[in-house]
């Protein structure tokens, strides 16, 4: 392994991964449960400080669940915006993590970071999958989506907030949704907590042939179709515990995407859909490697 040593933090709704890497090779990683901001971020700072004393980092990349303030001119840059995650609204993610490290640092959403990693080292790096526009979705504790567009993460006034898109519901589906902000936005319909509310038990305890999965597949397909229609993404990668944990659900989603689009998009059909809608090539490494990608971008810009 060669190259400068970088630090990475992937902060998710249930766990935080802290790592150090050379190039894209992760040399150490530690998983910390996501509890309160003080406890979780404090444990991360302690570990990073200890590693920094052993060998200085060239850069730090932070990929965090959102929503985040990513405008560097804002007084609350790097802070968590209002979130359904109890206790985390207003948490100073960036400020706390960089306080002990005398190196450049970058912060983005965990899904934007994962999209970058997949574009460079995963699905987008395959010869038959150009990486000009790639979307990464995670479906787990929440639902988030990020984009790698021509090798860069997509930003505007904020970052993409795909989890709170309202979709056309399946006929006869009366589930009210579980999002405290919007009720039946896509996160409120298909995230892990939403599935538990919809089914009455966690989704991993529901049989694959349960007909209620049809409504879930319908909803995810509505989101995927919206992404394909609005961005012309070449690939939509579906990760997270729900996304990667049920191959049978992904097959249902693919079939429904093709049916719902009705032949309108010439690049989407029964023959191509498996290469367009798929799980991440990097698997559960996409998020941690996303933090590495953010750190490496800082070094490359110097």
């Amino acid at each position: 392994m060669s190259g400068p040593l970088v630090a990475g933090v992937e902060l998710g709704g249930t766990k935080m991964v802290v790592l150090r890497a050379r190039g894209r090779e992760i040399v150490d990683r530690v998983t910390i449960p996501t509890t309160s901001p003080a406890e979780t971020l404090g444990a991360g700072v302690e570990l990073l400080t200890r590693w920094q004393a052993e060998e200085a980092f060239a850069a730090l990349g932070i990929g965090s669940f959102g929503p985040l303030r990513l405008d560097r001119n804002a007084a609350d840059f790097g802070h968590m915006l209002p979130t359904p995650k109890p206790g985390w609204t207003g948490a100073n993610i960036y400020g706390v993590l960089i306080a002990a490290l005398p190196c450049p640092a970058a912060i983005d959403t965990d899904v934007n970071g994962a999209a970058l990693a997949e574009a460079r080292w995963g699905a987008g790096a395959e010869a038959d999958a150009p990486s000009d526009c790639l979307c990464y979705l995670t479906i787990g504790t929440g639902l988030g989506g990020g984009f790698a567009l021509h090798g860069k993460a997509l930003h505007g006034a904020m970052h993409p907030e795909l989890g709170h898109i309202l979709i056309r519901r399946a006929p006869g589906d009366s589930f009210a949704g579980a999002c405290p902000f919007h009720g039946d936005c896509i996160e409120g319909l298909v995230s892990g907590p939403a599935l538990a509310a919809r089914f009455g038990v966690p989704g991993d305890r529901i049989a694959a042939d349960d007909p209620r999965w049809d409504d879930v597949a319908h909803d995810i397909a509505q989101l995927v179709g919206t992404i394909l229609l609005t961005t012309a993404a070449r690939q939509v990668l579906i990760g997270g515990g729900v996304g990667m944990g049920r191959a049978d659900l992904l097959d249902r989603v693919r079939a429904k995407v093709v049916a719902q689009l009705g032949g309108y998009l010439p690049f989407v059909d029964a023959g191509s859909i498996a290469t367009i809608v798929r799980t991440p090539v990097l698997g559960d490494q996409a998020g941690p490697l996303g933090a590495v990608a953010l750190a490496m971008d800082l070094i490359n810009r110097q």
Side-chain angles (χ1 to χ4, degrees):
M1 292 179 289
S2 61
L5 186 71
V6 301
V9 174
E10 183 204 11
L11 175 61
T14 56
K15 68 181 186 299
M16 180 173 73
V17 177
V18 184
L19 59 93
R20 50 182 170 177
R22 292 191 188 278
R24 59 165 290 189
E25 297 298 323
I26 297 173
V27 297
D28 284 300
R29 60 182 290 165
V30 175
T31 299
I32 298 167
T34 301
T35 54
S36 68
E39 184 175 21
T40 305
L41 299 177
V45 168
E46 181 180 354
L47 180 58
L48 290 170
T49 302
R50 174 154 49 87
W51 282 347
Q52 168 75 16
E54 296 173 3
E55 182 179 352
F57 295 118
L60 167 66
I62 305 165
S64 173
F65 74 94
L68 298 173
R69 180 75 74 195
L70 297 180
D71 179 359
R72 283 190 169 270
N73 295 318
D76 59 348
F77 167 71
H79 286 61
M80 187 73 68
L81 295 171
T83 174
K85 180 71 174 173
W88 281 83
T89 295
N92 185 3
I93 312 296
Y94 181 83
V96 170
L97 289 174
I98 69 167
L101 297 183
C103 65
I107 186 170
D108 209 323
T109 60
D110 51 353
V111 282
N112 259 352
L116 285 177
E118 281 287 342
R120 294 175 190 178
W121 305 314
E126 296 179 348
D128 61 347
S131 58
D132 51 353
C133 186
L134 177 150
C135 177
Y136 182 96
L137 293 176
T138 183
I139 308 176
T141 306
L143 189 154
F147 291 88
L149 182 63
H150 299 297
K152 298 183 181 298
L154 180 63
H155 299 111
M158 262 181 58
H159 50 76
E161 270 293 339
L162 299 182
H164 297 276
I165 287 176
L166 297 171
I167 53 92
R168 184 168 60 180
R169 302 288 301 277
D173 181 10
S174 60
F175 176 54
C179 174
F181 291 91
H182 311 114
D184 64 346
C185 62
I186 187 66
E187 179 175 286
L189 292 172
V190 304
S191 66
L195 293 181
R198 184 194 284 259
F199 295 147
V201 295
D204 59 6
R205 292 171 54 186
I206 302 299
D209 60 356
D210 190 302
R212 290 176 294 178
W213 282 115
D214 271 348
D215 288 341
V216 177
H218 167 95
D219 295 343
I220 297 173
Q222 284 277 301
L223 175 62
V224 172
T226 297
I227 293 166
L228 295 175
L229 287 164
T230 55
T231 69
R234 292 188 184 270
Q235 292 179 308
V236 179
L237 310 179
I238 304 181
V242 176
M244 291 189 290
R246 304 203 66 108
D248 52 293
L249 178 61
L250 189 59
D251 287 337
R252 291 193 193 199
V253 170
R254 288 174 176 139
K256 289 183 180 296
V257 169
V258 173
Q260 289 173 8
L261 289 175
Y264 184 76
L265 294 179
F267 63 95
V268 181
D269 57 31
S272 66
I273 192 64
T275 63
I276 296 170
V277 181
R278 56 187 294 189
T279 54
V281 169
L282 300 175
D284 61 4
Q285 297 298 299
L289 285 172
V292 173
L294 293 170
M296 290 176 64
D297 278 355
L298 286 173
I299 297 171
N300 292 336
R301 286 201 294 267
Q302 291 178 347

PDB file of all heavy atoms in Angstrom, residues 82-97:
ATOM      1  N   PRO A  82     -32.846  19.941  10.807  1.00  0.00           N
ATOM      2  CA  PRO A  82     -33.920  19.174  11.443  1.00  0.00           C
ATOM      3  C   PRO A  82     -34.048  17.770  10.854  1.00  0.00           C
ATOM      4  O   PRO A  82     -34.176  17.599   9.643  1.00  0.00           O
ATOM      5  CB  PRO A  82     -35.163  20.022  11.167  1.00  0.00           C
ATOM      6  CG  PRO A  82     -34.630  21.425  11.138  1.00  0.00           C
ATOM      7  CD  PRO A  82     -33.284  21.315  10.465  1.00  0.00           C
ATOM      8  N   THR A  83     -33.997  16.782  11.721  1.00  0.00           N
ATOM      9  CA  THR A  83     -33.959  15.383  11.309  1.00  0.00           C
ATOM     10  C   THR A  83     -34.886  14.548  12.182  1.00  0.00           C
ATOM     11  O   THR A  83     -35.085  14.887  13.365  1.00  0.00           O
ATOM     12  CB  THR A  83     -32.525  14.825  11.414  1.00  0.00           C
ATOM     13  OG1 THR A  83     -32.532  13.416  11.151  1.00  0.00           O
ATOM     14  CG2 THR A  83     -31.949  15.037  12.806  1.00  0.00           C
ATOM     15  N   PRO A  84     -35.441  13.473  11.646  1.00  0.00           N
ATOM     16  CA  PRO A  84     -36.252  12.587  12.483  1.00  0.00           C
ATOM     17  C   PRO A  84     -35.434  11.845  13.542  1.00  0.00           C
ATOM     18  O   PRO A  84     -35.996  11.288  14.481  1.00  0.00           O
ATOM     19  CB  PRO A  84     -36.851  11.586  11.479  1.00  0.00           C
ATOM     20  CG  PRO A  84     -36.754  12.255  10.151  1.00  0.00           C
ATOM     21  CD  PRO A  84     -35.526  13.098  10.220  1.00  0.00           C
ATOM     22  N   LYS A  85     -34.095  11.828  13.408  1.00  0.00           N
ATOM     23  CA  LYS A  85     -33.252  11.111  14.364  1.00  0.00           C
ATOM     24  C   LYS A  85     -33.239  11.868  15.691  1.00  0.00           C
ATOM     25  O   LYS A  85     -32.726  12.988  15.771  1.00  0.00           O
ATOM     26  CB  LYS A  85     -31.834  11.001  13.812  1.00  0.00           C
ATOM     27  CG  LYS A  85     -30.836  10.261  14.713  1.00  0.00           C
ATOM     28  CD  LYS A  85     -31.125   8.785  14.767  1.00  0.00           C
ATOM     29  CE  LYS A  85     -30.032   8.054  15.542  1.00  0.00           C
ATOM     30  NZ  LYS A  85     -30.382   6.636  15.740  1.00  0.00           N
ATOM     31  N   PRO A  86     -33.807  11.313  16.747  1.00  0.00           N
ATOM     32  CA  PRO A  86     -33.913  12.042  18.023  1.00  0.00           C
ATOM     33  C   PRO A  86     -32.560  12.496  18.556  1.00  0.00           C
ATOM     34  O   PRO A  86     -31.596  11.734  18.588  1.00  0.00           O
ATOM     35  CB  PRO A  86     -34.554  11.002  18.964  1.00  0.00           C
ATOM     36  CG  PRO A  86     -35.272  10.066  18.061  1.00  0.00           C
ATOM     37  CD  PRO A  86     -34.435   9.977  16.823  1.00  0.00           C
ATOM     38  N   GLY A  87     -32.500  13.768  18.945  1.00  0.00           N
ATOM     39  CA  GLY A  87     -31.314  14.319  19.579  1.00  0.00           C
ATOM     40  C   GLY A  87     -30.254  14.844  18.645  1.00  0.00           C
ATOM     41  O   GLY A  87     -29.276  15.461  19.104  1.00  0.00           O
ATOM     42  N   TRP A  88     -30.415  14.638  17.345  1.00  0.00           N
ATOM     43  CA  TRP A  88     -29.339  15.005  16.423  1.00  0.00           C
ATOM     44  C   TRP A  88     -29.565  16.330  15.701  1.00  0.00           C
ATOM     45  O   TRP A  88     -28.648  16.850  15.060  1.00  0.00           O
ATOM     46  CB  TRP A  88     -29.126  13.881  15.410  1.00  0.00           C
ATOM     47  CG  TRP A  88     -28.326  12.769  16.010  1.00  0.00           C
ATOM     48  CD1 TRP A  88     -28.798  11.745  16.782  1.00  0.00           C
ATOM     49  CD2 TRP A  88     -26.910  12.595  15.936  1.00  0.00           C
ATOM     50  NE1 TRP A  88     -27.763  10.943  17.185  1.00  0.00           N
ATOM     51  CE2 TRP A  88     -26.597  11.431  16.681  1.00  0.00           C
ATOM     52  CE3 TRP A  88     -25.882  13.291  15.310  1.00  0.00           C
ATOM     53  CZ2 TRP A  88     -25.288  10.959  16.818  1.00  0.00           C
ATOM     54  CZ3 TRP A  88     -24.577  12.823  15.443  1.00  0.00           C
ATOM     55  CH2 TRP A  88     -24.285  11.679  16.185  1.00  0.00           C
ATOM     56  N   THR A  89     -30.730  16.902  15.775  1.00  0.00           N
ATOM     57  CA  THR A  89     -30.958  18.197  15.132  1.00  0.00           C
ATOM     58  C   THR A  89     -30.012  19.236  15.733  1.00  0.00           C
ATOM     59  O   THR A  89     -29.940  19.399  16.948  1.00  0.00           O
ATOM     60  CB  THR A  89     -32.411  18.644  15.316  1.00  0.00           C
ATOM     61  OG1 THR A  89     -33.276  17.730  14.629  1.00  0.00           O
ATOM     62  CG2 THR A  89     -32.628  20.043  14.766  1.00  0.00           C
ATOM     63  N   GLY A  90     -29.282  19.918  14.864  1.00  0.00           N
ATOM     64  CA  GLY A  90     -28.346  20.956  15.296  1.00  0.00           C
ATOM     65  C   GLY A  90     -26.974  20.450  15.676  1.00  0.00           C
ATOM     66  O   GLY A  90     -26.085  21.259  15.983  1.00  0.00           O
ATOM     67  N   ALA A  91     -26.729  19.144  15.660  1.00  0.00           N
ATOM     68  CA  ALA A  91     -25.421  18.605  16.049  1.00  0.00           C
ATOM     69  C   ALA A  91     -24.335  19.118  15.109  1.00  0.00           C
ATOM     70  O   ALA A  91     -24.492  19.115  13.887  1.00  0.00           O
ATOM     71  CB  ALA A  91     -25.460  17.081  16.029  1.00  0.00           C
ATOM     72  N   ASN A  92     -23.220  19.543  15.683  1.00  0.00           N
ATOM     73  CA  ASN A  92     -22.099  20.102  14.916  1.00  0.00           C
ATOM     74  C   ASN A  92     -21.172  18.970  14.487  1.00  0.00           C
ATOM     75  O   ASN A  92     -20.110  18.755  15.078  1.00  0.00           O
ATOM     76  CB  ASN A  92     -21.352  21.136  15.752  1.00  0.00           C
ATOM     77  CG  ASN A  92     -20.253  21.849  14.962  1.00  0.00           C
ATOM     78  OD1 ASN A  92     -20.085  21.617  13.762  1.00  0.00           O
ATOM     79  ND2 ASN A  92     -19.513  22.709  15.634  1.00  0.00           N
ATOM     80  N   ILE A  93     -21.554  18.241  13.466  1.00  0.00           N
ATOM     81  CA  ILE A  93     -20.807  17.064  13.029  1.00  0.00           C
ATOM     82  C   ILE A  93     -19.384  17.461  12.624  1.00  0.00           C
ATOM     83  O   ILE A  93     -18.398  16.912  13.122  1.00  0.00           O
ATOM     84  CB  ILE A  93     -21.499  16.379  11.828  1.00  0.00           C
ATOM     85  CG1 ILE A  93     -22.999  16.190  12.076  1.00  0.00           C
ATOM     86  CG2 ILE A  93     -20.805  15.081  11.486  1.00  0.00           C
ATOM     87  CD1 ILE A  93     -23.340  15.285  13.201  1.00  0.00           C
ATOM     88  N   TYR A  94     -19.280  18.408  11.733  1.00  0.00           N
ATOM     89  CA  TYR A  94     -17.982  18.809  11.167  1.00  0.00           C
ATOM     90  C   TYR A  94     -17.077  19.411  12.242  1.00  0.00           C
ATOM     91  O   TYR A  94     -15.921  19.006  12.399  1.00  0.00           O
ATOM     92  CB  TYR A  94     -18.220  19.811  10.039  1.00  0.00           C
ATOM     93  CG  TYR A  94     -16.970  20.304   9.342  1.00  0.00           C
ATOM     94  CD1 TYR A  94     -16.393  19.550   8.333  1.00  0.00           C
ATOM     95  CD2 TYR A  94     -16.396  21.532   9.666  1.00  0.00           C
ATOM     96  CE1 TYR A  94     -15.254  20.001   7.663  1.00  0.00           C
ATOM     97  CE2 TYR A  94     -15.264  21.981   9.010  1.00  0.00           C
ATOM     98  CZ  TYR A  94     -14.697  21.215   8.011  1.00  0.00           C
ATOM     99  OH  TYR A  94     -13.576  21.662   7.360  1.00  0.00           O
ATOM    100  N   GLY A  95     -17.602  20.353  12.989  1.00  0.00           N
ATOM    101  CA  GLY A  95     -16.778  21.063  13.965  1.00  0.00           C
ATOM    102  C   GLY A  95     -16.201  20.156  15.027  1.00  0.00           C
ATOM    103  O   GLY A  95     -15.030  20.279  15.406  1.00  0.00           O
ATOM    104  N   VAL A  96     -17.007  19.231  15.516  1.00  0.00           N
ATOM    105  CA  VAL A  96     -16.532  18.325  16.572  1.00  0.00           C
ATOM    106  C   VAL A  96     -15.455  17.393  16.035  1.00  0.00           C
ATOM    107  O   VAL A  96     -14.412  17.183  16.677  1.00  0.00           O
ATOM    108  CB  VAL A  96     -17.705  17.518  17.152  1.00  0.00           C
ATOM    109  CG1 VAL A  96     -17.196  16.412  18.075  1.00  0.00           C
ATOM    110  CG2 VAL A  96     -18.651  18.436  17.916  1.00  0.00           C
ATOM    111  N   LEU A  97     -15.652  16.848  14.843  1.00  0.00           N
ATOM    112  CA  LEU A  97     -14.720  15.853  14.324  1.00  0.00           C
ATOM    113  C   LEU A  97     -13.394  16.450  13.886  1.00  0.00           C
ATOM    114  O   LEU A  97     -12.354  15.788  13.955  1.00  0.00           O
ATOM    115  CB  LEU A  97     -15.361  15.082  13.169  1.00  0.00           C
ATOM    116  CG  LEU A  97     -16.485  14.119  13.568  1.00  0.00           C
ATOM    117  CD1 LEU A  97     -17.153  13.526  12.333  1.00  0.00           C
ATOM    118  CD2 LEU A  97     -15.959  12.998  14.466  1.00  0.00           C
TER     119      LEU A  97
END
